[in-house]
Amino acid sequence: MAYRGAGGHGQPPSAVRSRVSPGSLSTCRTRTHNICMVSDFFYPNMGGVESHIYQLSQCLIERGHKVIIVTHAYGNRKGIRYLTNGLKVYYLPLKVMYNQSTATTLFHSLPLLRCIFVRERVTIIHSHSSFSAMAHDALFHAKTMGLQTVFTDHSLFGFADVSSVLTNKLLTVSLCDTNHIICVSYTSKENTVLRAALNPEIVSVIPNAVDPTDFTPEPFRRHDSIITIVVVSRLVYRKGTDLLSGIIPELCQKYPDLNFIIGGEGPKRIILEEVRERYQLHDRVRLLGALEHKDVRNVLVQGHIFLNTSLTEAFCMAIVEAASCGLQVVSTRVGGIPEVLPENLIILCEPSVKSLCEGLEKAISQLKSGALPAPENIHNVVKTFYTWRNVAERTEKVYDRVAGEAVLPMDKRLDRLISHCGPVTGCIFALLAVFNFLFLLFLRWMTPDSIIDVAIDATGPKGAWTRQYPYSKKGGENNEMSKPR
Amino acid sequence: MDLCKGGGTGLCLRGRIMCAQPGTNTKEAKWQKILYERQPFPDNYVDRRFLEELQKNIYARKYQYWAVVFESSVVVQQLCSVCVFVVIWWYMDEGLLAPQWLFGTGLASSLIGYVLFDLIDGGEGRKKSGRTRWADLKSALVFITFTYGFSPVLKTLTESVSTDTIYAMAVFMLLGHLIFFDYGANAAIVSSTLSLNMAIFASVCLASRLPRSLHAFIMVTFAIQIFALWPMLQKKLKACTPRSYVGVTLLFAFSALGGLLSISAVGAILFALLLVSISCLCPFYLIRLQLFKENIHGPWDEAEIKEDLSRFLS
């Protein structure tokens, strides 16, 4: 995925085109931004947030912005790395506390982050995921430094138990003076507005996307003599693996020509194995274990029906990927799922074994009678729904809007913290904000902004990655190389 | 790739048109809660339907004052049990109460309670559990024999420990008994085994400070009666005959207060205040605070699996 990956993957024609496109696009654009994406979750970790950050950054680079990513070090992967198209990633040496999220003291990351923000001349901080402590830290420091802030929330949260009461309070503090918030679905927006007590006007809904060229149908890969139901998810309680363990025996007894393929790993795998053992379904239920993202498509195309049993979900990319591969989707009606696909492409059920079995039976009978549209047709419809370019374009509008807004000065920020977050929490965090500001003054006195080197832009309007070097030797070589083309 | 870009600029154009004349377009198009189609609204558009699926307090229970007062009697009973136990111990310690007398009364009331226990529900509970009277008699005999046999040991068990430590320990154990007692709440802290064990431990501690081993034996027997058997009878009374349960609770509370009054007037007043605040003031506050309850529910809540899925594995 680093330098070499770029050379290996990007075929010369597309590379040339993407070199041309930023210029042509930026001519019609009034301004470009220096964006810093911050999250604890990034490659080599894999998941929805990680791919969102990567894809969005790539499309923003294509649109002529300068983008860098800041995350924490993953084992041996530390320091600075460059990804495709000169996307610069800082892997910072911060301690991981729990679930790949860093520990936070609100202060210790300031020197490093300030140095990066100044070096890279960042104007907009875009933090991702409410589970990431680093994202919240970055928001806090950015406001102290007077930078514009944007936050993307990828998950849903309840209100009932003590832990969610506490996390929601922290989110209120973190978002009360953030310029703009992005949510991935309307349900997620309602949730975030309630959790953080926000004005809904500053919350935009921009869905996730999938790359439709990665998820193409291949009907010949599946056996039409049998019906195959595919499940691809982590095998954990929140993804409804318990429901799945009830559905499998119920349907396998009813339909002798039904098979299951289950991709994914997790603590609940054991109950699926028990069910398989108990009902002697070893030849009909295949457990594939953990899948790499590139293998998901090859698993999906082997099936006719995709089953999603999640108990909570903000957007659910899995069902879009499955539909893009031409599968009929059966899913629980939870969270933002009803917003994601039109009714003719998805069968929505209540989160119970009975309802899901009815939904699956409906899909099976449609499949047997030939009432389902061809995979190719489904793919052609779905591929128009969600594209990363569209996401980037809409995110860019948010950046444009944010760049025109004023960052709250220190006194107003303190007022807002105290008035908005309750008397106790508000005062505590106002005090912390003051300390943070003093710490920043101290750092500025130690190393003034003026003596911090400016980093070479790899991307952006005058990016080194896209610029031809007429003077240097390397540039000359480049020119020579591009001549034969 | 080029096609996509074309689509992108098309959308861009449409967006600009929308910005130019928002009035006409928004009137025609109705906002839908869907993501798969671009709608002629900005991304931060807030529709009238925003938060329409929000529900509040759907699982919240409405409490009735007297019902809560009735339920609070379990706590009152347990407090009184502890109070009666301590008062009896004090009388024994002072030599004002003969152990034989306590044993006789305890035995008689146990027998009455035993008969009542079966009479209240017409012997249904016994049929369900399938336990014979012979088994009851056997366990009672075994318990009494062993306690009697070991009572000299109990008497000398804590001789090397200072009396202050014993008192402090007994106080903590009785408090622990009250905290962990099963009042009927479904919480992690509830553990009736731990609660009973703490009470028995407290009784052993206190019994070891009595003058003779017969005293110790009778004190521990009494502790079993009041902390293990009495709550069982109470539970049944409460379920089957709520009226008589209220009567029994009042009687028990007044006798506990009377006993305490004979030792210390200040203690009795404080204890009475405690009982009144638990049975009258706390329910009142619970109902008042109920008005401020704001439990938010909506489509973002994690779905609950309501079925019993273990049947697929058994």
Side-chain angles (χ1 to χ4, degrees):
Chain A
M1 206 163 169
Y3 244 130
R4 266 172 287 116
H9 269 297
Q11 306 89 336
S14 76
V16 168
R17 197 177 298 160
S18 68
R19 249 177 223 184
V20 177
S21 55
S24 61
L25 275 170
S26 56
T27 47
C28 68
R29 294 194 38 74
T30 47
R31 61 193 304 179
T32 58
H33 306 286
N34 294 345
I35 302 145
C36 175
M37 305 270 181
V38 189
S39 180
D40 272 317
F41 312 112
F42 193 64
Y43 180 85
N45 213 32
M46 274 305 192
V49 181
E50 291 82 350
S51 68
H52 179 103
I53 297 174
Y54 176 74
Q55 300 279 8
L56 177 63
S57 306
Q58 288 296 346
C59 290
L60 286 169
I61 289 172
E62 191 185 282
R63 296 181 72 83
H65 300 286
K66 173 185 169 171
V67 185
I68 59 164
I69 295 175
V70 176
T71 183
H72 67 79
Y74 281 86
N76 208 22
R77 182 171 269 267
K78 52 198 173 193
I80 297 171
R81 303 271 180 132
Y82 283 93
L83 307 184
T84 313
N85 289 335
L87 176 58
K88 191 179 195 178
V89 186
Y90 285 85
Y91 290 93
L92 302 185
L94 299 173
K95 274 275 168 287
V96 173
M97 183 175 61
Y98 173 71
N99 243 339
Q100 288 303 342
S101 178
T102 47
T104 177
T105 57
L106 269 187
F107 298 112
H108 72 297
S109 53
L110 179 62
L112 269 175
L113 286 176
R114 176 209 167 219
C115 190
I116 293 170
F117 295 164
V118 174
R119 263 172 65 81
E120 300 284 348
R121 295 285 184 264
V122 172
T123 51
I124 293 173
I125 309 296
H126 189 166
S127 288
H128 291 263
S129 178
S130 45
F131 291 114
S132 162
M134 194 184 198
H136 293 297
D137 269 13
L139 286 181
F140 194 67
H141 301 325
K143 288 168 208 159
T144 311
M145 291 173 65
L147 300 171
Q148 318 284 354
T149 45
V150 177
F151 177 80
T152 299
D153 200 353
H154 293 259
S155 39
L156 297 177
F157 239 98
F159 295 91
D161 51 359
V162 182
S163 77
S164 46
V165 169
L166 288 174
T167 27
N168 291 346
K169 193 74 191 172
L170 287 179
L171 193 77
T172 313
V173 173
S174 186
L175 297 189
C176 84
D177 44 4
T178 300
N179 294 84
H180 209 92
I181 291 99
I182 297 173
C183 291
V184 290
S185 64
Y186 292 108
T187 304
S188 169
K189 172 171 173 174
E190 292 178 347
N191 186 235
T192 307
V193 165
L194 286 173
R195 280 162 64 201
L198 292 166
N199 170 13
E201 297 280 334
I202 63 157
V203 185
S204 286
V205 176
I206 300 176
N208 267 322
V210 292
D211 194 342
T213 53
D214 280 352
F215 293 93
T216 48
E218 204 177 342
F220 312 108
R221 289 278 296 277
R222 59 195 203 191
H223 305 283
D224 281 328
S225 55
I226 49 166
I227 297 167
T228 309
I229 296 177
V230 181
V231 178
V232 177
S233 81
R234 282 178 295 121
L235 303 178
V236 293
Y237 174 79
R238 282 160 72 96
K239 298 285 178 191
T241 312
D242 302 69
L243 289 173
L244 186 60
S245 74
I247 294 164
I248 290 174
E250 220 47 356
L251 284 181
C252 280
Q253 279 166 358
K254 218 168 187 178
Y255 297 92
D257 55 345
L258 189 72
N259 278 7
F260 279 88
I261 299 179
I262 298 165
E265 192 56 68
K268 289 276 183 185
R269 180 183 172 136
I270 187 89
I271 62 166
L272 294 182
E273 279 174 357
E274 269 177 52
V275 162
R276 194 168 66 162
E277 197 78 25
R278 165 124 178 72
Y279 293 88
Q280 295 294 313
L281 297 169
H282 292 82
D283 50 339
R284 294 172 62 189
V285 178
R286 271 165 62 203
L287 293 171
L288 301 178
L291 292 178
E292 283 204 32
H293 193 249
K294 63 175 167 42
D295 299 329
V296 169
R297 185 252 168 188
N298 291 334
V299 173
L300 286 176
V301 292
Q302 294 172 34
H304 301 84
I305 299 167
F306 182 83
L307 174 64
N308 172 50
T309 54
S310 289
L311 302 180
T312 174
E313 201 78 66
F315 178 80
C316 197
M317 281 160 118
I319 59 172
V320 183
E321 290 169 355
S324 179
C325 286
L327 279 77
Q328 169 65 42
V329 176
V330 177
S331 172
T332 45
R333 186 197 302 274
V334 294
I337 290 179
E339 305 165 28
V340 174
L341 287 174
E343 271 166 32
N344 56 345
L345 294 180
I346 188 169
I347 297 174
L348 289 170
C349 311
E350 294 312 311
S352 69
V353 172
K354 189 164 162 277
S355 175
L356 280 163
C357 281
E358 283 167 8
L360 284 168
E361 282 177 38
K362 189 177 158 199
I364 291 169
S365 68
Q366 280 179 355
L367 184 73
K368 283 185 172 165
S369 66
L372 290 185
E376 201 58 48
N377 296 352
I378 301 180
H379 172 74
N380 286 336
V381 176
V382 173
K383 79 175 179 193
T384 59
F385 290 164
Y386 304 104
T387 58
W388 287 113
R389 286 208 171 78
N390 179 273
V391 172
E393 193 184 294
R394 290 159 77 173
T395 311
E396 193 177 62
K397 277 187 195 143
V398 171
Y399 293 152
D400 287 344
R401 178 191 154 133
V402 164
E405 286 173 8
V407 181
L408 289 180
M410 200 59 194
D411 55 333
K412 292 244 178 67
R413 187 181 168 208
L414 296 183
D415 281 347
R416 179 145 180 81
L417 271 170
I418 292 168
S419 65
H420 198 255
C421 306
V424 180
T425 327
C427 287
I428 293 171
F429 278 91
L431 191 68
L432 291 174
V434 171
F435 284 148
N436 205 41
F437 185 65
L438 293 176
F439 190 28
L440 178 72
L441 287 185
F442 172 74
L443 288 174
R444 279 188 179 151
W445 174 74
M446 289 284 285
T447 39
D449 286 0
S450 53
I451 65 166
I452 294 179
D453 284 339
V454 180
I456 294 170
D457 285 1
T459 63
K462 295 187 207 80
W465 194 273
T466 49
R467 195 168 55 196
Q468 309 289 319
Y469 288 95
Y471 312 114
S472 72
K473 200 184 167 193
K474 197 181 162 200
E477 272 171 16
N478 266 352
N479 276 345
E480 275 164 30
M481 274 177 66
S482 57
K483 261 177 202 163
R485 265 186 217 144
Chain B
M1 207 182 215
D2 283 313
L3 266 175
C4 288
K5 234 173 257 165
T9 43
L11 286 171
C12 208
L13 273 177
R14 216 184 301 158
R16 247 171 245 160
I17 291 167
M18 177 266 290
C19 290
Q21 26 175 245
T24 53
N25 237 346
T26 40
K27 257 177 207 162
E28 283 166 27
K30 206 164 161 263
W31 180 82
Q32 288 171 288
K33 198 176 176 180
I34 51 171
L35 297 164
Y36 48 84
E37 251 172 46
R38 280 308 295 273
Q39 302 185 52
F41 298 97
D43 286 327
N44 63 341
Y45 173 74
V46 184
D47 194 69
R48 234 179 310 136
R49 284 173 59 200
F50 186 68
L51 287 182
E52 71 170 357
E53 280 171 274
L54 173 76
Q55 287 175 304
K56 274 184 188 171
N57 299 339
I58 43 173
Y59 300 121
R61 281 165 56 185
K62 271 265 175 239
Y63 292 112
Q64 297 293 320
Y65 180 71
W66 288 109
V68 182
V69 171
F70 176 70
E71 293 298 325
S72 75
S73 57
V74 191
V75 186
V76 171
Q77 283 266 13
Q78 216 49 39
L79 279 171
C80 291
S81 289
V82 171
C83 176
V84 165
F85 177 75
V86 174
V87 167
I88 294 279
W89 173 82
W90 189 83
Y91 272 105
M92 295 264 275
D93 199 32
E94 295 285 303
L96 299 172
L97 182 66
Q100 295 84 353
W101 196 85
L102 176 65
F103 188 65
T105 335
L107 202 66
S109 46
S110 291
L111 280 174
I112 295 171
Y114 185 69
V115 173
L116 268 180
F117 193 74
D118 277 350
L119 274 184
I120 293 168
D121 62 350
E124 259 175 51
R126 178 167 292 276
K127 262 183 228 152
K128 235 180 241 169
S129 66
R131 207 177 146 78
T132 57
R133 282 174 207 288
W134 174 238
D136 288 345
L137 187 66
K138 237 179 8 187
S139 38
L141 275 178
V142 166
F143 174 77
I144 290 178
T145 324
F146 268 83
T147 324
Y148 190 69
F150 280 108
S151 56
V153 181
L154 288 184
K155 175 72 193 67
T156 51
L157 187 66
T158 59
E159 246 169 25
S160 59
V161 184
S162 92
T163 305
D164 285 346
T165 315
I166 290 294
Y167 287 163
M169 208 133 72
V171 167
F172 279 118
M173 288 299 141
L174 287 174
L175 273 180
H177 165 74
L178 288 175
I179 290 169
F180 295 111
F181 187 78
D182 180 11
Y183 297 106
N186 185 18
I189 195 172
V190 173
S191 160
S192 41
T193 346
L194 180 65
S195 161
L196 181 62
N197 273 316
M198 289 179 113
I200 299 303
F201 185 70
S203 78
V204 168
C205 285
L206 290 179
S208 67
R209 284 295 175 267
L210 291 176
R212 280 173 37 224
S213 59
L214 181 67
H215 288 79
F217 159 64
I218 285 166
M219 201 67 227
V220 174
T221 320
F222 179 66
I224 294 284
Q225 284 168 342
I226 202 163
F227 291 125
L229 303 179
W230 177 224
M232 280 163 71
L233 180 62
Q234 273 177 42
K235 216 177 216 173
K236 214 164 215 182
L237 269 177
K238 193 177 161 214
C240 299
T241 53
R243 272 169 197 279
S244 61
Y245 175 69
V246 173
V248 168
T249 310
L250 284 175
L251 200 69
F252 194 50
F254 279 118
S255 48
L257 272 173
L260 196 58
L261 192 65
S262 66
I263 298 172
S264 139
V266 180
I269 291 169
L270 287 178
F271 189 64
L273 283 177
L274 178 70
L275 291 189
V276 167
S277 68
I278 283 179
S279 58
C280 302
L281 274 183
C282 288
F284 176 71
Y285 266 108
L286 178 73
I287 286 164
R288 278 290 296 278
L289 291 175
Q290 203 67 12
L291 296 177
F292 300 102
K293 199 176 176 86
E294 224 183 42
N295 216 332
I296 304 172
H297 298 276
W300 49 80
D301 281 339
E302 190 174 305
E304 260 178 80
I305 302 176
K306 293 198 180 84
E307 295 151 291
D308 178 25
L309 294 170
S310 57
R311 71 193 155 101
F312 293 107
L313 285 174
S314 56

